[in-house]
Amino acid sequence: MANHTKTDLRNKVIYSVYVRNYSEEGTFAAVEKDLDRIKELGVDIIWFLPIYPIGQEKRKGTLGSPYAIADYRKVNPELGTMDEFKHLAEEIHLRGMKCILDIVYNHTSPDSWLAKNHPEYFYKTPEGEMGNRVGDWGDIVDLDYGNEELWEYQMDTLKMWAGIVDGFRCDVAPLVPLAFWLKAREEVAGINPECIWLSESVEPEFILDLRARGMTSLSDSQIFQAFDMCYDYDIYKYFRQYLKGEGTLSRYAEAVNMQEYIYPANYVKMRYLENHDQERAKSIIPEEEALRNWTAFIYFQKGATLLYAGQENQNETTPDLFNKDVINLDGSHDISDLLKRLYQVKKLPVVAESSYHLSADDELGAVIGEHKKVQGTDRLLGIFSFEGKSGQIETGMRDGTYINMADGKEVQIKDGKIDLKACPVIIEERGNRR
């Protein structure tokens, strides 16, 4: 784990914005107009998908992927100017939020500034041509971190942006050498010692496949040496297997519990139901109450919570990365009230400093989670019903009346048990307070 990672990142909500598809205008200025709404939703950090110029060569779709970057040190003129982005960052800061920028350091577009001016910085195929090692990423070419001059250029770029934004989400970070990330973090700390580092870590199967091909592919345990947060892909397959009827909730709960002992005590996972690479939550969890329970669960989970713009309106369509495809924020299926309430749960101190444990009742289709304050008595209990079944759940808490933080209503515990409800239940026990 990064030595200075603060566990209060577990109290944070991240809101992911793809500027092109965030509005009809698709500009920095249009995002700026919506900052008050985003803030009121309960957001601490806005993460911008890549905002740089997009390459023309081998472009996918009409407008191209934002991950096929032509110049790391400029902004895409279709989104606005550098001054407009700086103003957007300033407005985010004025509202008490932070912003992080997507950094794509494994590759560039084939016609990038670096490819034209420093071809020696790039991986070469056996034929001596620039190429990529993954194969299906046809619109990019890989960088070669065996060239230490590349390191200097990339770190100078990070330091440039560190004077504007508060951190970085690093695309496929496991494909870049760990030594580079450790040095980059050290260098950037000279500009912004509070810089936030989020790694897009990858699926276990992807790690094994790349390693079998002799490629750099860092595990989460390695990534945590340089980064504050990483993705939840180490256990994501168990979540999807359950939804498809191919796995149990118990297996998923076991995988989450394993994170508690295989990672350092201050580990921070980014928890999500969806992101720009995955299907929308509403499309894979169409039943309303089940989705509300899963949404409450990702706020309750130990780690930072990610919302992908449009999730608050239960969008079902995953925005196209390569073409104009505007998200729907018309309020027609708005769950903002639920998210605002859950944000108060996220801010509880026990969420940042707890021993965390999940158990599952496969018969009832429910998960029971507990945060227990480290060296304390405070407890936070969450009960999430994913299949709408009736039954009783053992809580281990004192009998009495509690306030359900998920909806503000009273719930009863009798003989240590609580009736399973369709809505999520989150209750707090602080010493003698309930």
Side-chain angles (χ1 to χ4, degrees):
M1 192 78 197
N3 291 332
H4 304 295
T5 293
K6 296 179 179 178
T7 56
D8 66 1
L9 285 169
R10 297 170 181 159
N11 296 123
K12 306 302 183 186
V13 173
I14 303 168
Y15 188 81
S16 176
V17 171
Y18 183 20
V19 176
R20 175 199 291 168
N21 286 340
Y22 191 77
S23 64
E24 290 291 346
E25 301 95 322
T27 61
F28 300 135
V31 176
E32 188 174 314
K33 292 176 186 176
D34 205 30
L35 288 180
D36 289 335
R37 185 195 67 84
I38 294 172
K39 172 67 176 178
E40 290 170 9
L41 193 62
V43 170
D44 302 290
I45 302 166
I46 297 178
W47 152 30
F48 290 102
L49 270 65
I51 60 169
Y52 319 97
I54 296 170
Q56 295 286 339
E57 188 177 333
K58 297 185 179 180
R59 174 177 283 197
K60 290 184 177 180
T62 305
L63 300 175
S65 167
Y67 291 90
I69 294 169
D71 193 330
Y72 288 126
R73 298 184 179 183
K74 294 180 180 178
V75 300
N76 185 344
E78 297 169 16
L79 310 181
T81 66
M82 179 66 84
D83 284 342
E84 286 173 323
F85 179 73
K86 289 179 178 178
H87 191 268
L88 172 57
E90 290 169 0
E91 289 297 315
I92 289 170
H93 294 150
L94 286 173
R95 288 163 175 80
M97 297 183 288
K98 295 185 176 183
C99 61
I100 62 177
L101 201 56
D102 220 316
I103 296 296
V104 188
Y105 268 13
N106 177 66
H107 51 258
T108 75
S109 69
D111 55 348
S112 67
W113 185 91
L114 275 181
K116 293 175 180 176
N117 290 274
H118 290 283
E120 70 276 14
Y121 291 176
F122 287 80
Y123 159 78
K124 302 299 191 303
T125 67
E127 295 74 33
E129 302 294 328
M130 292 184 193
N132 78 79
R133 288 161 287 190
V134 173
D136 58 348
W137 299 346
D139 57 344
I140 57 92
V141 289
D142 286 358
L143 290 160
D144 177 8
Y145 281 83
N147 188 318
E148 293 200 5
E149 290 182 2
L150 170 63
W151 288 38
E152 184 176 352
Y153 181 88
Q154 299 291 63
M155 290 182 197
D156 285 347
T157 302
L158 287 170
K159 288 187 280 187
M160 181 201 92
W161 286 111
I164 302 170
V165 300
D166 307 287
F168 305 108
R169 178 268 185 188
C170 299
D171 187 67
V172 289
L175 277 64
V176 175
L178 177 61
F180 171 81
W181 292 123
L182 290 167
K183 182 64 175 175
R185 183 173 183 126
E186 180 184 330
E187 290 286 318
V188 169
I191 305 296
N192 179 6
E194 300 297 318
C195 184
I196 299 165
W197 291 85
L198 165 62
S199 164
E200 183 200 22
S201 47
V202 297
E203 297 88 342
E205 295 78 10
F206 193 33
I207 292 174
L208 293 174
D209 177 61
L210 296 183
R211 287 180 175 179
R213 291 193 263 162
M215 294 173 57
T216 296
S217 190
L218 307 176
S219 67
D220 285 11
S221 58
Q222 292 172 296
I223 282 292
F224 271 137
Q225 295 178 52
F227 286 82
D228 300 306
M229 294 184 279
C230 72
Y231 274 46
D232 218 3
Y233 279 141
D234 55 331
I235 63 168
Y236 185 72
K237 71 176 181 180
Y238 301 112
F239 161 65
R240 293 302 300 267
Q241 285 172 354
Y242 167 70
L243 293 182
K244 294 175 182 177
E246 299 170 358
T248 65
L249 278 175
S250 292
R251 182 67 188 90
Y252 174 66
E254 288 171 6
V256 174
N257 291 336
M258 183 177 65
Q259 293 176 328
E260 280 287 279
Y261 58 82
I262 66 172
Y263 299 131
N266 63 334
Y267 82 100
V268 184
K269 279 284 182 174
M270 185 176 72
R271 312 292 188 173
Y272 46 85
L273 295 180
E274 61 181 67
N275 60 56
H276 71 270
D277 285 320
Q278 302 296 334
E279 296 167 271
R280 286 287 195 179
K282 182 64 175 175
S283 70
I284 59 175
I285 312 170
E287 204 280 319
E288 184 75 20
E289 285 299 338
L291 182 55
R292 292 177 74 86
N293 274 271
W294 278 111
T295 300
F297 177 67
I298 63 161
Y299 275 79
F300 182 87
Q301 276 261 66
K302 189 174 187 175
T305 297
L306 173 69
L307 295 174
Y308 184 30
Q311 189 172 343
E312 68 271 38
N313 201 51
Q314 300 187 76
N315 282 198
E316 294 186 57
T317 303
T318 304
D320 190 326
L321 276 182
F322 312 111
N323 301 289
K324 186 72 174 177
D325 190 10
V326 181
I327 62 172
N328 180 7
L329 293 173
D330 66 4
S332 57
H333 298 90
D334 186 61
I335 57 169
S336 295
D337 286 347
L338 173 64
L339 302 184
K340 291 173 185 177
R341 187 175 288 278
L342 293 172
Y343 184 66
Q344 302 309 311
V345 174
K346 200 73 199 164
K347 290 300 175 185
L348 293 173
V350 70
V351 173
E353 295 286 349
S354 73
S355 296
Y356 183 61
H357 182 77
L358 291 185
S359 58
D361 189 316
D362 290 322
E363 282 191 25
L364 293 177
V367 162
I368 305 94
E370 181 186 54
H371 289 276
K372 188 172 182 180
K373 180 73 173 177
V374 174
Q375 296 183 319
T377 58
D378 291 2
R379 298 172 68 200
L380 187 69
L381 187 76
I383 302 169
F384 308 95
S385 174
F386 302 131
E387 298 177 18
K389 296 179 180 178
S390 298
Q392 286 197 314
I393 297 291
E394 181 65 52
T395 68
M397 296 180 79
R398 295 192 301 270
D399 287 2
T401 301
Y402 294 77
I403 298 298
N404 181 7
M405 300 181 72
D407 64 7
K409 297 179 181 179
E410 292 183 349
V411 293
Q412 299 290 327
I413 293 180
K414 185 176 181 181
D415 299 327
K417 297 180 179 179
I418 190 171
D419 290 331
L420 187 63
K421 299 181 181 299
C423 65
V425 173
I426 301 174
I427 52 181
E428 185 182 19
E429 189 176 59
R430 285 200 214 166
N432 295 321
R433 292 178 56 193
R434 299 173 184 173

